[in-house]
Amino acid sequence: MKYDWVDAYCLEKIGTVKDYKVEWEATRYLIGDKMYVMIGTNKEKKPIITIKCEPIFGQSLRDQYSDIIPGYYMNKTHWNSVFLEGDVPDDILKTMLDMSYDLVFKALTQKQQKSILENE
């Protein structure tokens, strides 16, 4: 995998839990039981990482990079998939990962957010 730093980067984020969903054949990164990143393959078995983004930001990335596409098997407005063998710069992927984490964390209840922050 070209982006071999992704696992450690995601696991450094407060409250992140990693699991493997067998039926999807995908590794997921969750916060408060909500997924913010998924690493798997598409129907052609090409490795992809699927990340939640603000819709306008996600669309602008799709317009700029051919290796960023609407989220595979996800809501195409909010999720984007990045081909792991592509040429998306590391800093762009990190920005996407940070945004996804923040979006999902902010969607949690205040009680869930507080619990996550207190347990770290």
Side-chain angles (χ1 to χ4, degrees), residues 42-104:
N42 66 6
K43 63 184 174 188
E44 289 88 29
K45 298 295 183 194
K46 289 185 175 185
I48 57 171
I49 182 169
T50 302
I51 308 165
K52 189 171 193 172
C53 291
E54 290 284 351
I56 293 171
F57 180 72
Q59 183 60 56
S60 71
L61 291 176
R62 292 181 215 164
D63 293 343
Q64 290 177 37
Y65 300 98
S66 60
D67 291 318
I68 301 178
I69 61 170
Y72 177 71
Y73 216 71
M74 302 291 280
N75 179 307
K76 309 291 188 231
T77 302
H78 297 278
W79 291 87
N80 299 276
S81 292
V82 178
F83 288 107
L84 292 176
E85 296 167 351
D87 291 321
V88 175
D90 286 5
D91 62 325
I92 297 296
L93 188 56
K94 285 180 181 179
T95 298
M96 294 174 75
L97 293 168
D98 293 343
M99 178 180 285
S100 187
Y101 176 88
D102 291 343
L103 287 169
V104 173

Side-chain angles (χ1 to χ4, degrees), residues 17-29:
V17 174
K18 175 182 171 181
D19 75 4
Y20 184 79
K21 187 123 173 124
V22 175
E23 56 269 31
W24 295 355
E25 298 179 1
T27 300
R28 303 182 308 165
Y29 298 86

